[in-house]
Structures are given as C-alpha cells and as structure tokens.
Amino acid sequence: MVELLNNSFRQFSLNSIKIKSFRANEARTLMPRPFQCLLTEDKQRAIVKNGKDSLDICRVVNGTWQTSGGWGRIERDTAVNAMLQYADAGLNTFDLADIYGPAEDLYGIFINRVRRERPPELLETVRGLTKWVPPPVKMTRSFVSESIDVSRRRMDVAALDMLQFHWWDYSNPGYLDALKHLTDLKGEGKIKTIALTNFDTERLRIILENGIPVVSNQVQHSIVDMRPQQKMAELCQLTGVKLITYGTVMGGLLSEKFLDTNLTIPFAGPALNTPSLQKYKRMIDAWGGWSLFQELLRTLKTVSNKHGVSIPTVAVRFILDQPAVAGSMIGVRLGLSQHIKDANAVFSLVLDEEDISNILQVTNKGRDLQKVIGDCGDEYRRA
C-alpha cells in the first residue's frame, strides 16, 4: 500500500490530480484550489476555506481532551472562568469532542457567559471546533442529524462552527454516507464547516473526489512525529485542505519539566501520570528513545534561551511553520494550570535558519514514524 501511494503521488501535477472514483469506474479530476490558509494582519489567526465555506481560527487552539478524566478533577465554574481568561487573552478557539466528557457542555456555559458579559466584538471571534466520533452503525440521515443536534444543544449554538468527523474502520465505507449527510446538514445551516480528524491520505483523497467540502484534517504532529509532512501535506497543498495539529507539545513532554531527567530509573523523574504523557512517551520510544529525546530537549532549550521563550513555545512555532498547517493545539487543564503567556509568545517568535538546522540535526537521527507506525491516524487502527 505504501508503494502504491508513492506511485500515485509521482503522477500528481500542479495542474490537476487525476484519481479513480470510489463509486464509479471513470476517473475524476480534482483541480487544486488556490492557497486556502490566509493569515490575518495580527498573524494570530488563519482562515481555513473550501469554496464558499470558510472559518477563521486562532492559530493556537485550546485542546479540551483534558476535561475527559485522567488529568485531575475539573470543577465546572472554575473551568468556565479559565476559558474566559483564555478568550480574553486572544486564545479564543477551543477544540472539543462529543466524547470528551463535559467539554461541549462547558463550552455551552462559557459561550453564554461571553454573550452576557463580554462585548460583541469578542463573541464574534470565539470558535468552538467539535468532533463527532460515532459508533460503527449504519449512517442513516436521522442518526447523523440527531447526533449533530446533541452537540448543538450541549454547546448552545444554532450552528456548529466546525464539525470534525472521525471514523474507526476504513473497511466500512459508511464514512462516506455520514459525510454526505453532514454536507446536507451544512446546507441547512446546522454546520458552518466540515472537517476530518485522524484520516489518512488515501481516505482524504477518496472523500475529496466524492465532493465533500472538507476544510481541514486534524492529525498528530510534533517535532518528533513529522508524518503529516510526507504524503498528507503534499495532498493538502495540492487541494487546499489544511492541517490542525494535536500532540504538538506531546502532552507536556516537550518542556523544561522533562529536561535532564532519567525515566529509566524508578521515581527518578517526573511521573507519567496522565493519559497524554503515557501516549506520547510511547511515541518517543518508537521514534528513538529517551536518550535521543534528551538531546532534542537540550537543543530546544538552547533555542528557547536564545529567544527568551519556553521549550513548548519553540515546539509549537516549529510546527506552525510547516507546510499546510493552519493551527496547532495545546491542551488546557482548565482551572488546574494555564499556559497563556507561553501560548501568546508563539505569535511573535521567529525561528531562524540556525534554529531550524540545529533542530533538524537531532530529529534526523530518529526513526521515520511513517515507516514504523504508518500514515496519519494509523496509530488508532493498527491490529
């Protein structure tokens, strides 16, 4: 399959993309769209666009997986107050999901407080990007519509700013039925933009050739995990689909906290006591191990000291500068800790050629995770 995809990409040109239709025997041509990610004047926001569908988002996105349990107890009012603090600081795009515990409900309370307590100018900039992760059942119109209505009620919005769709099993082609129903719901005004999460390059091509107006694909992407810059970024640049990235600071592993630590000795270093720390430690093991990761952290520390910022700030800026990336996510532990200063420092940071060269000298020593794990999202579908 990898060789097949490689061969197919060798046939791409900037004039057109000819791909085999999923539902017909005739080849269909996808014309590349003009560059679709536009930076606003303040460079803090980007516009993702497909045809007439567009949405401007903050390039640093607040991730709310941390509300689902495993990172500490979330108290409702304290969490909502924290969301207001992020929005007041200009960090006003939140990534949610129907499966992230109370995340959508917290957003509903938050957006109502914004309506009551903040000027209309702030309300106009707030974005809620939610995900729908359905079970493997038949994707009927009624099932899809009812599921989306649940998120609309929880978030207390007439239309979802962005619906990011996830699908577990590619052998079940029901994902195309679901996406066509979502496109119909967008036409009815219940969804503003349609996006994907954790889809691979092959399936993204199939979805695009079936006329689904996808604006972005949310994928795991960090200095350690550069898989999206292979097949996925190439297709995105040709078609205008953008990437929203998560795992960009690897659950906090890409930080000063883990610099000069030895996790091979029990209790010698910080505990890997959250689902995200445990998940991304496995990525480090697959990439090159803890010793190489320490070399990377030391290099990032040198870069961060040079610019007067933190390691996470450098890690996010590096990914935001990659082709096809519209926004990068930093998980928020609402009411438990906050990183507003580090997040806002991303916007003014400019990495020079020396910084990038020094970082790549280390990362090039690691394994190619595309060969180890597979394409974007394959980590969720491996046997």
Side-chain angles (χ1 to χ4, degrees), residues 23 28 30 33 50 53 163 165 175-184 186 193-196 203-216 241:
R23 290 189 168 179
R28 177 177 174 180
L30 287 181
R33 300 200 303 272
N50 186 324
D53 300 339
L163 190 285
F165 176 67
Y175 66 90
L176 287 173
D177 296 323
L179 284 164
K180 290 186 176 182
H181 293 316
L182 291 172
T183 302
D184 291 340
K186 182 184 69 68
T193 55
I194 295 174
L196 306 173
R203 253 53 61 162
L204 175 58
R205 289 196 290 129
I206 290 171
I207 289 166
L208 292 173
E209 75 176 29
N210 275 267
I212 307 299
V214 171
V215 299
S216 64
V241 173

Side-chain angles (χ1 to χ4, degrees), residues 238-367:
L238 287 168
T239 61
V241 173
K242 307 311 297 182
L243 298 176
I244 296 176
T245 73
Y246 66 87
T248 307
V249 296
M250 304 190 76
L253 289 168
L254 282 168
S255 70
E256 284 79 1
K257 181 178 180 178
F258 288 90
L259 176 63
D260 295 328
T261 62
N262 186 353
L263 296 187
T264 63
I265 302 175
F267 310 109
L272 301 179
N273 56 1
T274 68
S276 52
L277 286 172
Q278 295 160 13
K279 171 184 178 180
Y280 295 115
K281 172 57 165 60
R282 292 192 293 271
M283 287 292 164
I284 291 170
D285 294 339
W287 170 69
W290 194 250
S291 178
L292 181 58
F293 186 67
Q294 286 299 307
E295 184 179 347
L296 176 61
L297 285 180
R298 288 192 292 270
T299 300
L300 294 175
K301 183 61 177 174
T302 299
V303 174
S304 68
N305 285 344
K306 171 182 171 181
H307 294 281
V309 297
S310 69
I311 289 176
T313 298
V314 174
V316 174
R317 182 72 261 174
F318 185 88
I319 296 302
L320 282 177
D321 289 342
Q322 298 303 309
V325 174
S328 290
M329 201 174 309
I330 303 177
V332 290
R333 300 175 69 178
L334 298 171
L336 301 175
S337 63
Q338 62 98 341
H339 46 70
I340 290 174
K341 180 180 178 181
D342 284 348
N344 270 324
V346 171
F347 301 121
S348 58
L349 176 60
V350 178
L351 298 176
D352 59 33
E353 291 184 7
E354 180 186 37
D355 301 328
I356 296 169
S357 175
N358 289 339
I359 292 170
L360 292 178
Q361 283 181 24
V362 181
T363 59
N364 288 340
K365 297 178 183 178
R367 299 185 187 95

Side-chain angles (χ1 to χ4, degrees), residues 187-203:
E188 296 174 11
K190 294 184 176 182
I191 301 169
K192 294 179 182 178
T193 55
I194 295 174
L196 306 173
T197 181
N198 291 316
F199 273 79
D200 67 6
T201 309
E202 181 183 359
R203 253 53 61 162

